Every structure is written in C-alpha cells, then in structure tokens.
Amino acid sequence: MVKLLGINCKYRYPLSGKDYDLYGDLEAKYADPEIVGCIFQDHPDQKTLKKMGWVAELQENSSIIHVPYDLKNLQAGALFEVPSGLDNGKPRLFRVISMQNIMMYPASIACEIAPEYI
C-alpha cells in the first residue's frame, strides 16, 4: 500500500551502540539511507488518536506517517528525510517519536514523527 500510494522518503535507522546525551537527545550513528514509501495522515481526528492510545490534545508539533509493516529495524529515533514539495527545495528531516499498530491485518505501522532541528 505505502509503496504504491506513498511519497518516497529516505529512511535511516540507528546502528547498535546508540546512547542518549545529558539532554535526552539520541546520539547514534545511522545506517545508509534507503528509499521507503510513506503515507502522511494530514489531520487525524481525536477519535483516531484515542484509538491509537495517543493524547489528542498534545498533537501540535508532530505528524503521523504510515510506513511498511516489515520495515527493517524500525524504532523510536529512526530518521525520515522527506523531499520538498517545491522545486530544488531542501528536504526536511523528521525523527520517529513513537509507533502504533491497531489493525488485525498489519498493512502498515503508524509512526508519530517530529521535525529534527539542526
């Protein structure tokens, strides 16, 4: 589903030996990027977020994407580089905060992502 309908993003997962710094930020080396299809859920309603177990009132700075169920080493801290919608624009970098799957037949995993500021 995500391969056919999704936007092609670059996905990188943390390699072993990851650690957190004094401020709680992840310090890790990342694997080489691979192309993955992602479907963005534009404006999820509160009912959907409650079913996923997420607090709907706190969903201000993060977005939800759906990625393949069998994505290699998917975990909190993984990075998604989303291409710009504008010509010659710089891609944006997002970090996975949490993941959820509520379906009986797993077609995708919902990931909450937040912008990564450099």
Short mmCIF file of all heavy atoms in Angstrom, two decimals, residues 43-101:
data_model
loop_
_atom_site.label_atom_id
_atom_site.label_comp_id
_atom_site.label_asym_id
_atom_site.label_seq_id
_atom_site.Cartn_x
_atom_site.Cartn_y
_atom_site.Cartn_z
N HIS A 43 -4.63 15.33 8.84
CA HIS A 43 -5.26 15.86 10.05
C HIS A 43 -6.05 14.76 10.75
O HIS A 43 -7.26 14.66 10.57
CB HIS A 43 -6.19 17.03 9.70
CG HIS A 43 -5.49 18.15 9.02
ND1 HIS A 43 -4.63 19.00 9.67
CD2 HIS A 43 -5.48 18.56 7.73
CE1 HIS A 43 -4.14 19.89 8.83
NE2 HIS A 43 -4.65 19.64 7.64
N PRO A 44 -5.37 13.94 11.56
CA PRO A 44 -6.11 12.88 12.26
C PRO A 44 -7.05 13.49 13.30
O PRO A 44 -6.70 14.46 13.97
CB PRO A 44 -5.01 12.05 12.92
CG PRO A 44 -3.84 12.96 13.00
CD PRO A 44 -3.95 13.92 11.86
N ASP A 45 -8.23 12.93 13.39
CA ASP A 45 -9.19 13.45 14.37
C ASP A 45 -8.90 12.85 15.75
O ASP A 45 -8.11 11.92 15.90
CB ASP A 45 -10.63 13.18 13.93
CG ASP A 45 -10.91 11.70 13.70
OD1 ASP A 45 -9.99 10.88 13.87
OD2 ASP A 45 -12.05 11.38 13.36
N GLN A 46 -9.54 13.39 16.77
CA GLN A 46 -9.28 12.95 18.14
C GLN A 46 -9.69 11.51 18.36
O GLN A 46 -9.06 10.79 19.12
CB GLN A 46 -10.01 13.87 19.12
CG GLN A 46 -9.39 15.23 19.22
CD GLN A 46 -9.99 16.07 20.33
OE1 GLN A 46 -10.92 15.64 21.01
NE2 GLN A 46 -9.47 17.26 20.52
N LYS A 47 -10.74 11.06 17.70
CA LYS A 47 -11.20 9.68 17.85
C LYS A 47 -10.13 8.70 17.37
O LYS A 47 -9.85 7.71 18.03
CB LYS A 47 -12.50 9.50 17.07
CG LYS A 47 -13.15 8.17 17.29
CD LYS A 47 -14.49 8.13 16.57
CE LYS A 47 -15.19 6.81 16.83
NZ LYS A 47 -16.47 6.74 16.13
N THR A 48 -9.52 9.00 16.24
CA THR A 48 -8.46 8.14 15.71
C THR A 48 -7.26 8.12 16.65
O THR A 48 -6.69 7.07 16.93
CB THR A 48 -8.02 8.63 14.31
OG1 THR A 48 -9.15 8.63 13.45
CG2 THR A 48 -6.92 7.76 13.74
N LEU A 49 -6.87 9.28 17.14
CA LEU A 49 -5.72 9.35 18.04
C LEU A 49 -5.99 8.63 19.35
O LEU A 49 -5.10 8.00 19.92
CB LEU A 49 -5.34 10.81 18.28
CG LEU A 49 -4.79 11.55 17.06
CD1 LEU A 49 -4.62 13.02 17.37
CD2 LEU A 49 -3.48 10.95 16.61
N LYS A 50 -7.21 8.70 19.86
CA LYS A 50 -7.54 7.99 21.10
C LYS A 50 -7.48 6.49 20.90
O LYS A 50 -7.05 5.75 21.78
CB LYS A 50 -8.92 8.41 21.59
CG LYS A 50 -8.92 9.78 22.23
CD LYS A 50 -10.31 10.16 22.73
CE LYS A 50 -10.30 11.56 23.28
NZ LYS A 50 -11.63 11.99 23.73
N LYS A 51 -7.92 6.00 19.72
CA LYS A 51 -7.83 4.58 19.42
C LYS A 51 -6.39 4.11 19.39
O LYS A 51 -6.09 2.97 19.74
CB LYS A 51 -8.49 4.27 18.07
CG LYS A 51 -9.98 4.26 18.11
CD LYS A 51 -10.54 3.90 16.74
CE LYS A 51 -12.04 3.96 16.74
NZ LYS A 51 -12.60 3.68 15.40
N MET A 52 -5.50 4.97 18.96
CA MET A 52 -4.08 4.63 18.91
C MET A 52 -3.40 4.76 20.26
O MET A 52 -2.24 4.41 20.41
CB MET A 52 -3.36 5.50 17.89
CG MET A 52 -3.76 5.25 16.48
SD MET A 52 -2.85 6.33 15.39
CE MET A 52 -2.84 5.36 13.92
N GLY A 53 -4.10 5.31 21.24
CA GLY A 53 -3.52 5.46 22.56
C GLY A 53 -2.70 6.71 22.73
O GLY A 53 -1.94 6.85 23.68
N TRP A 54 -2.81 7.66 21.80
CA TRP A 54 -2.08 8.91 21.89
C TRP A 54 -2.98 10.01 22.41
O TRP A 54 -4.17 10.05 22.14
CB TRP A 54 -1.53 9.31 20.53
CG TRP A 54 -0.41 8.43 20.06
CD1 TRP A 54 0.44 7.73 20.83
CD2 TRP A 54 -0.07 8.13 18.72
NE1 TRP A 54 1.33 7.03 20.07
CE2 TRP A 54 1.03 7.26 18.75
CE3 TRP A 54 -0.56 8.52 17.49
CZ2 TRP A 54 1.65 6.77 17.62
CZ3 TRP A 54 0.06 8.03 16.35
CH2 TRP A 54 1.14 7.17 16.42
N VAL A 55 -2.42 10.92 23.18
CA VAL A 55 -3.18 12.03 23.73
C VAL A 55 -3.42 13.04 22.62
O VAL A 55 -2.48 13.64 22.08
CB VAL A 55 -2.42 12.69 24.91
CG1 VAL A 55 -3.21 13.85 25.48
CG2 VAL A 55 -2.11 11.66 25.98
N ALA A 56 -4.67 13.20 22.25
CA ALA A 56 -5.01 14.04 21.09
C ALA A 56 -4.68 15.51 21.32
O ALA A 56 -4.35 16.23 20.39
CB ALA A 56 -6.50 13.88 20.76
N GLU A 57 -4.75 15.96 22.55
CA GLU A 57 -4.55 17.38 22.83
C GLU A 57 -3.08 17.78 22.68
O GLU A 57 -2.77 18.95 22.53
CB GLU A 57 -5.03 17.73 24.24
CG GLU A 57 -6.53 17.66 24.41
CD GLU A 57 -7.06 16.24 24.57
OE1 GLU A 57 -6.24 15.32 24.84
OE2 GLU A 57 -8.26 16.05 24.42
N LEU A 58 -2.17 16.82 22.73
CA LEU A 58 -0.74 17.15 22.66
C LEU A 58 -0.16 17.00 21.26
O LEU A 58 1.04 17.11 21.08
CB LEU A 58 0.04 16.25 23.64
CG LEU A 58 -0.36 16.39 25.10
CD1 LEU A 58 0.45 15.43 25.96
CD2 LEU A 58 -0.18 17.81 25.58
N GLN A 59 -0.98 16.73 20.27
CA GLN A 59 -0.50 16.51 18.91
C GLN A 59 -0.36 17.83 18.15
O GLN A 59 -1.00 18.05 17.14
CB GLN A 59 -1.48 15.59 18.17
CG GLN A 59 -1.64 14.24 18.79
CD GLN A 59 -0.35 13.44 18.72
OE1 GLN A 59 0.38 13.55 17.77
NE2 GLN A 59 -0.08 12.67 19.72
N GLU A 60 0.48 18.72 18.63
CA GLU A 60 0.63 20.02 17.99
C GLU A 60 1.83 20.08 17.06
O GLU A 60 1.74 20.60 15.96
CB GLU A 60 0.75 21.11 19.06
CG GLU A 60 -0.52 21.26 19.87
CD GLU A 60 -0.34 22.25 21.00
OE1 GLU A 60 0.80 22.73 21.19
OE2 GLU A 60 -1.31 22.53 21.69
N ASN A 61 2.98 19.58 17.48
CA ASN A 61 4.19 19.72 16.70
C ASN A 61 4.54 18.46 15.91
O ASN A 61 5.54 18.44 15.22
CB ASN A 61 5.37 20.07 17.61
CG ASN A 61 5.17 21.40 18.27
OD1 ASN A 61 4.51 22.27 17.72
ND2 ASN A 61 5.72 21.57 19.46
N SER A 62 3.77 17.41 16.03
CA SER A 62 4.13 16.17 15.38
C SER A 62 3.10 15.78 14.32
O SER A 62 1.98 16.27 14.31
CB SER A 62 4.28 15.05 16.42
OG SER A 62 3.10 14.92 17.16
N SER A 63 3.52 14.91 13.43
CA SER A 63 2.68 14.39 12.37
C SER A 63 2.65 12.88 12.45
O SER A 63 3.44 12.27 13.17
CB SER A 63 3.22 14.81 11.01
OG SER A 63 3.30 16.20 10.91
N ILE A 64 1.76 12.27 11.68
CA ILE A 64 1.66 10.82 11.65
C ILE A 64 1.90 10.36 10.22
O ILE A 64 1.32 10.89 9.27
CB ILE A 64 0.29 10.35 12.14
CG1 ILE A 64 0.13 10.71 13.61
CG2 ILE A 64 0.12 8.85 11.95
CD1 ILE A 64 -1.20 10.37 14.20
N ILE A 65 2.79 9.37 10.08
CA ILE A 65 3.01 8.75 8.78
C ILE A 65 2.78 7.25 8.92
O ILE A 65 2.89 6.69 10.02
CB ILE A 65 4.43 9.01 8.23
CG1 ILE A 65 5.50 8.43 9.16
CG2 ILE A 65 4.66 10.47 7.96
CD1 ILE A 65 6.89 8.44 8.56
N HIS A 66 2.46 6.62 7.82
CA HIS A 66 2.30 5.17 7.76
C HIS A 66 3.42 4.62 6.89
O HIS A 66 3.63 5.09 5.77
CB HIS A 66 0.93 4.80 7.20
CG HIS A 66 -0.19 5.25 8.08
ND1 HIS A 66 -0.67 4.48 9.11
CD2 HIS A 66 -0.90 6.39 8.09
CE1 HIS A 66 -1.64 5.14 9.72
NE2 HIS A 66 -1.79 6.31 9.12
N VAL A 67 4.14 3.64 7.41
CA VAL A 67 5.27 3.03 6.72
C VAL A 67 5.04 1.52 6.62
O VAL A 67 4.18 0.99 7.32
CB VAL A 67 6.60 3.35 7.44
CG1 VAL A 67 6.89 4.84 7.41
CG2 VAL A 67 6.60 2.84 8.85
N PRO A 68 5.80 0.82 5.77
CA PRO A 68 5.60 -0.63 5.63
C PRO A 68 5.74 -1.36 6.96
O PRO A 68 6.59 -1.02 7.79
CB PRO A 68 6.70 -1.05 4.66
CG PRO A 68 7.06 0.18 3.92
CD PRO A 68 6.83 1.31 4.86
N TYR A 69 4.93 -2.38 7.12
CA TYR A 69 4.91 -3.15 8.37
C TYR A 69 6.24 -3.86 8.61
O TYR A 69 6.68 -3.99 9.74
CB TYR A 69 3.77 -4.16 8.33
CG TYR A 69 3.66 -5.00 9.57
CD1 TYR A 69 3.12 -4.46 10.73
CD2 TYR A 69 4.13 -6.30 9.59
CE1 TYR A 69 3.02 -5.21 11.88
CE2 TYR A 69 4.03 -7.06 10.74
CZ TYR A 69 3.48 -6.52 11.88
OH TYR A 69 3.39 -7.26 13.02
N ASP A 70 6.88 -4.32 7.55
CA ASP A 70 8.11 -5.10 7.69
C ASP A 70 9.37 -4.27 7.45
O ASP A 70 10.39 -4.79 7.02
CB ASP A 70 8.09 -6.30 6.75
CG ASP A 70 7.90 -5.89 5.30
OD1 ASP A 70 7.63 -4.70 5.04
OD2 ASP A 70 8.03 -6.77 4.43
N LEU A 71 9.30 -2.99 7.77
CA LEU A 71 10.45 -2.11 7.58
C LEU A 71 11.58 -2.52 8.53
O LEU A 71 11.37 -2.69 9.73
CB LEU A 71 10.04 -0.65 7.83
CG LEU A 71 11.02 0.43 7.42
CD1 LEU A 71 11.39 0.31 5.95
CD2 LEU A 71 10.44 1.79 7.71
N LYS A 72 12.77 -2.66 7.98
CA LYS A 72 13.92 -3.17 8.73
C LYS A 72 14.33 -2.22 9.85
O LYS A 72 14.52 -1.03 9.63
CB LYS A 72 15.08 -3.36 7.76
CG LYS A 72 16.33 -3.91 8.39
CD LYS A 72 17.41 -4.05 7.34
CE LYS A 72 18.70 -4.53 7.98
NZ LYS A 72 19.77 -4.61 6.99
N ASN A 73 14.42 -2.74 11.07
CA ASN A 73 14.91 -2.02 12.25
C ASN A 73 14.15 -0.73 12.55
O ASN A 73 14.74 0.25 13.00
CB ASN A 73 16.40 -1.71 12.14
CG ASN A 73 17.25 -2.95 12.17
OD1 ASN A 73 16.93 -3.91 12.85
ND2 ASN A 73 18.33 -2.96 11.41
N LEU A 74 12.85 -0.71 12.32
CA LEU A 74 12.05 0.46 12.66
C LEU A 74 11.99 0.61 14.17
O LEU A 74 11.67 -0.35 14.88
CB LEU A 74 10.64 0.33 12.07
CG LEU A 74 9.71 1.50 12.32
CD1 LEU A 74 10.26 2.77 11.68
CD2 LEU A 74 8.33 1.20 11.76
N GLN A 75 12.30 1.79 14.68
CA GLN A 75 12.34 2.03 16.11
C GLN A 75 12.26 3.53 16.38
O GLN A 75 12.44 4.34 15.48
CB GLN A 75 13.63 1.47 16.71
CG GLN A 75 14.88 2.04 16.06
CD GLN A 75 16.14 1.34 16.51
OE1 GLN A 75 16.46 1.40 17.69
NE2 GLN A 75 16.83 0.69 15.60
N ALA A 76 11.96 3.87 17.62
CA ALA A 76 11.98 5.28 18.01
C ALA A 76 13.41 5.79 17.85
O ALA A 76 14.36 5.13 18.25
CB ALA A 76 11.51 5.44 19.45
N GLY A 77 13.55 6.95 17.24
CA GLY A 77 14.86 7.51 16.97
C GLY A 77 15.27 7.39 15.51
O GLY A 77 16.25 8.01 15.10
N ALA A 78 14.55 6.61 14.73
CA ALA A 78 14.85 6.49 13.31
C ALA A 78 14.54 7.81 12.61
O ALA A 78 13.73 8.61 13.09
CB ALA A 78 14.05 5.35 12.68
N LEU A 79 15.19 8.05 11.49
CA LEU A 79 15.04 9.31 10.77
C LEU A 79 14.38 9.09 9.40
O LEU A 79 14.67 8.11 8.73
CB LEU A 79 16.40 9.97 10.55
CG LEU A 79 17.19 10.35 11.79
CD1 LEU A 79 18.56 10.88 11.40
CD2 LEU A 79 16.43 11.38 12.60
N PHE A 80 13.51 10.03 9.04
CA PHE A 80 12.90 10.05 7.71
C PHE A 80 13.22 11.40 7.08
O PHE A 80 12.96 12.44 7.68
CB PHE A 80 11.39 9.86 7.79
CG PHE A 80 10.98 8.44 8.05
CD1 PHE A 80 10.77 7.99 9.34
CD2 PHE A 80 10.81 7.54 7.00
CE1 PHE A 80 10.40 6.68 9.58
CE2 PHE A 80 10.45 6.25 7.24
CZ PHE A 80 10.23 5.80 8.53
N GLU A 81 13.78 11.37 5.88
CA GLU A 81 14.07 12.59 5.14
C GLU A 81 13.00 12.74 4.06
O GLU A 81 12.93 11.95 3.12
CB GLU A 81 15.45 12.48 4.51
CG GLU A 81 15.95 13.76 3.91
CD GLU A 81 17.38 13.63 3.42
OE1 GLU A 81 18.22 13.14 4.19
OE2 GLU A 81 17.63 14.01 2.26
N VAL A 82 12.15 13.74 4.21
CA VAL A 82 11.01 13.95 3.33
C VAL A 82 11.40 14.98 2.27
O VAL A 82 11.85 16.08 2.61
CB VAL A 82 9.79 14.43 4.13
CG1 VAL A 82 8.60 14.66 3.22
CG2 VAL A 82 9.44 13.43 5.23
N PRO A 83 11.22 14.65 0.98
CA PRO A 83 11.58 15.61 -0.06
C PRO A 83 10.69 16.84 -0.03
O PRO A 83 9.54 16.78 0.41
CB PRO A 83 11.39 14.82 -1.36
CG PRO A 83 10.44 13.73 -1.01
CD PRO A 83 10.66 13.42 0.44
N SER A 84 11.21 17.92 -0.52
CA SER A 84 10.47 19.17 -0.55
C SER A 84 9.44 19.15 -1.67
O SER A 84 9.67 18.56 -2.73
CB SER A 84 11.43 20.34 -0.76
OG SER A 84 10.72 21.54 -0.93
N GLY A 85 8.32 19.79 -1.44
CA GLY A 85 7.30 19.91 -2.46
C GLY A 85 7.60 21.00 -3.47
O GLY A 85 6.95 21.10 -4.51
N LEU A 86 8.57 21.82 -3.16
CA LEU A 86 8.98 22.90 -4.06
C LEU A 86 10.18 22.46 -4.89
O LEU A 86 10.97 21.63 -4.47
CB LEU A 86 9.34 24.15 -3.26
CG LEU A 86 8.26 24.67 -2.33
CD1 LEU A 86 8.81 25.79 -1.47
CD2 LEU A 86 7.06 25.14 -3.11
N ASP A 87 10.32 23.05 -6.07
CA ASP A 87 11.46 22.72 -6.93
C ASP A 87 12.76 23.15 -6.27
O ASP A 87 12.89 24.25 -5.76
CB ASP A 87 11.32 23.42 -8.28
CG ASP A 87 10.17 22.87 -9.09
OD1 ASP A 87 9.80 21.71 -8.86
OD2 ASP A 87 9.65 23.59 -9.95
N ASN A 88 13.72 22.25 -6.29
CA ASN A 88 15.06 22.49 -5.74
C ASN A 88 15.04 22.88 -4.27
O ASN A 88 15.95 23.54 -3.79
CB ASN A 88 15.80 23.56 -6.55
CG ASN A 88 16.02 23.13 -7.98
OD1 ASN A 88 16.22 21.94 -8.24
ND2 ASN A 88 15.97 24.07 -8.90
N GLY A 89 13.99 22.50 -3.55
CA GLY A 89 13.91 22.78 -2.12
C GLY A 89 14.70 21.77 -1.32
O GLY A 89 14.94 20.65 -1.76
N LYS A 90 15.12 22.16 -0.15
CA LYS A 90 15.88 21.28 0.72
C LYS A 90 14.94 20.30 1.42
O LYS A 90 13.89 20.71 1.92
CB LYS A 90 16.62 22.14 1.75
CG LYS A 90 17.64 21.40 2.56
CD LYS A 90 18.40 22.36 3.45
CE LYS A 90 19.44 21.60 4.25
NZ LYS A 90 20.16 22.48 5.16
N PRO A 91 15.28 19.01 1.48
CA PRO A 91 14.40 18.05 2.18
C PRO A 91 14.38 18.32 3.68
O PRO A 91 15.32 18.87 4.24
CB PRO A 91 15.02 16.69 1.86
CG PRO A 91 16.39 16.97 1.37
CD PRO A 91 16.44 18.38 0.88
N ARG A 92 13.27 17.92 4.32
CA ARG A 92 13.13 18.10 5.78
C ARG A 92 13.41 16.79 6.48
O ARG A 92 13.06 15.72 5.99
CB ARG A 92 11.70 18.55 6.10
CG ARG A 92 11.30 19.83 5.42
CD ARG A 92 11.23 21.07 6.27
NE ARG A 92 11.10 20.94 7.66
CZ ARG A 92 10.01 21.28 8.35
NH1 ARG A 92 8.95 21.75 7.74
NH2 ARG A 92 10.00 21.19 9.65
N LEU A 93 13.98 16.86 7.66
CA LEU A 93 14.34 15.69 8.43
C LEU A 93 13.39 15.54 9.61
O LEU A 93 13.14 16.50 10.33
CB LEU A 93 15.79 15.83 8.92
CG LEU A 93 16.45 14.61 9.49
CD1 LEU A 93 16.55 13.51 8.44
CD2 LEU A 93 17.83 14.95 10.01
N PHE A 94 12.87 14.32 9.82
CA PHE A 94 11.94 14.02 10.91
C PHE A 94 12.44 12.81 11.68
O PHE A 94 13.02 11.89 11.12
CB PHE A 94 10.54 13.71 10.36
CG PHE A 94 9.86 14.89 9.74
CD1 PHE A 94 10.03 15.19 8.40
CD2 PHE A 94 9.05 15.72 10.50
CE1 PHE A 94 9.41 16.28 7.82
CE2 PHE A 94 8.42 16.81 9.93
CZ PHE A 94 8.60 17.09 8.59
N ARG A 95 12.20 12.82 13.00
CA ARG A 95 12.58 11.71 13.88
C ARG A 95 11.33 11.00 14.38
O ARG A 95 10.34 11.64 14.73
CB ARG A 95 13.38 12.23 15.07
CG ARG A 95 13.86 11.13 16.00
CD ARG A 95 14.64 11.71 17.16
NE ARG A 95 15.82 12.45 16.74
CZ ARG A 95 17.02 11.90 16.55
NH1 ARG A 95 17.18 10.61 16.74
NH2 ARG A 95 18.04 12.64 16.18
N VAL A 96 11.37 9.68 14.42
CA VAL A 96 10.25 8.89 14.94
C VAL A 96 10.23 9.01 16.46
O VAL A 96 11.23 8.77 17.13
CB VAL A 96 10.38 7.40 14.52
CG1 VAL A 96 9.30 6.57 15.17
CG2 VAL A 96 10.35 7.27 13.02
N ILE A 97 9.06 9.40 16.98
CA ILE A 97 8.90 9.54 18.43
C ILE A 97 8.27 8.28 19.02
O ILE A 97 8.71 7.76 20.03
CB ILE A 97 8.03 10.76 18.76
CG1 ILE A 97 8.69 12.03 18.28
CG2 ILE A 97 7.75 10.84 20.26
CD1 ILE A 97 7.83 13.26 18.40
N SER A 98 7.20 7.80 18.38
CA SER A 98 6.53 6.60 18.85
C SER A 98 5.86 5.89 17.68
O SER A 98 5.70 6.47 16.60
CB SER A 98 5.51 6.93 19.94
OG SER A 98 4.50 7.77 19.40
N MET A 99 5.47 4.65 17.90
CA MET A 99 4.85 3.83 16.85
C MET A 99 3.62 3.13 17.41
O MET A 99 3.55 2.87 18.61
CB MET A 99 5.84 2.79 16.34
CG MET A 99 7.11 3.38 15.80
SD MET A 99 8.32 2.13 15.37
CE MET A 99 8.68 1.42 16.95
N GLN A 100 2.69 2.82 16.53
CA GLN A 100 1.46 2.16 16.95
C GLN A 100 0.88 1.39 15.78
O GLN A 100 1.01 1.81 14.63
CB GLN A 100 0.44 3.19 17.45
CG GLN A 100 -0.82 2.63 18.01
CD GLN A 100 -0.61 1.97 19.35
OE1 GLN A 100 0.38 2.22 20.03
NE2 GLN A 100 -1.51 1.14 19.75
N ASN A 101 0.26 0.26 16.06
CA ASN A 101 -0.44 -0.51 15.05
C ASN A 101 -1.71 -1.06 15.69
O ASN A 101 -1.64 -1.77 16.68
CB ASN A 101 0.45 -1.64 14.54
CG ASN A 101 -0.13 -2.30 13.33
OD1 ASN A 101 -1.17 -1.91 12.84
ND2 ASN A 101 0.55 -3.32 12.84
#
